[in-house]
Amino acid sequence: MAATQRTLLHAFSTFSLGGAQARFIQLANALSGEGFHHRIVAMDNCFDAAPRLHPSVSWEPLKVENRRGSGLANRRPFRELLLRDKPDLLLTYNWGAIEWASANMPAAVPHLHVEDGFGPDE
């Protein structure tokens, strides 16, 4: 990883192929070689969509222990990781990664949350 790369931490409920994952892969592939390093969290530690990333994309899986229970069970270890690693940007995708958004309050790092996949009735 080059020193000039920006580190983006992407938090998904899963990294199996779905809408949010497909859009991320499309963007990462289009921006490969543009100075980004992607750390990808899958709350279920499933990275089945990873082979769709172009070999020139700088990325790594970040396996985490997902403690089941209360909605804030993971807040402390996730916050500690954010404070320790200081990614340039935290990106969270859909409700399944909302614990990462909570862990970043108050803001330890810049954060962008993306919700998608709503049906017409929503």
Side-chain angles (χ1 to χ4, degrees):
M1 182 170 66
T4 58
Q5 284 185 318
R6 300 268 184 187
T7 299
L8 307 180
L9 176 58
H10 303 269
F12 294 93
S13 60
T14 184
F15 202 59
S16 63
L17 194 59
Q21 296 82 357
R23 279 183 287 286
F24 160 71
I25 289 167
Q26 186 178 24
L27 286 168
N29 287 345
L31 295 172
S32 65
E34 295 293 328
F36 297 104
H37 178 70
H38 306 277
R39 299 184 80 201
I40 300 172
V41 170
M43 295 293 285
D44 63 356
N45 288 317
C46 176
F47 296 91
D48 290 352
R52 293 178 178 258
L53 287 165
H54 190 275
S56 64
V57 173
S58 175
W59 80 280
E60 66 180 296
L62 180 59
K63 295 191 176 186
V64 296
E65 180 181 339
N66 184 11
R67 297 180 190 149
R68 304 261 180 206
S70 75
L72 299 177
N74 296 303
R75 187 180 191 282
R76 175 172 285 164
F78 293 173
R79 181 151 184 91
E80 289 171 356
L81 185 143
L82 292 171
L83 291 170
R84 181 188 70 235
D85 293 359
K86 287 284 193 188
D88 293 294
L89 180 63
L90 168 65
L91 296 104
T92 53
Y93 300 86
N94 295 325
W95 187 251
I98 204 67
E99 286 179 275
W100 282 93
S102 173
N104 195 42
M105 293 163 126
V109 299
H111 177 215
L112 177 65
H113 182 76
V114 179
E115 282 288 334
D116 67 340
F118 292 105
D121 58 327
E122 297 177 289

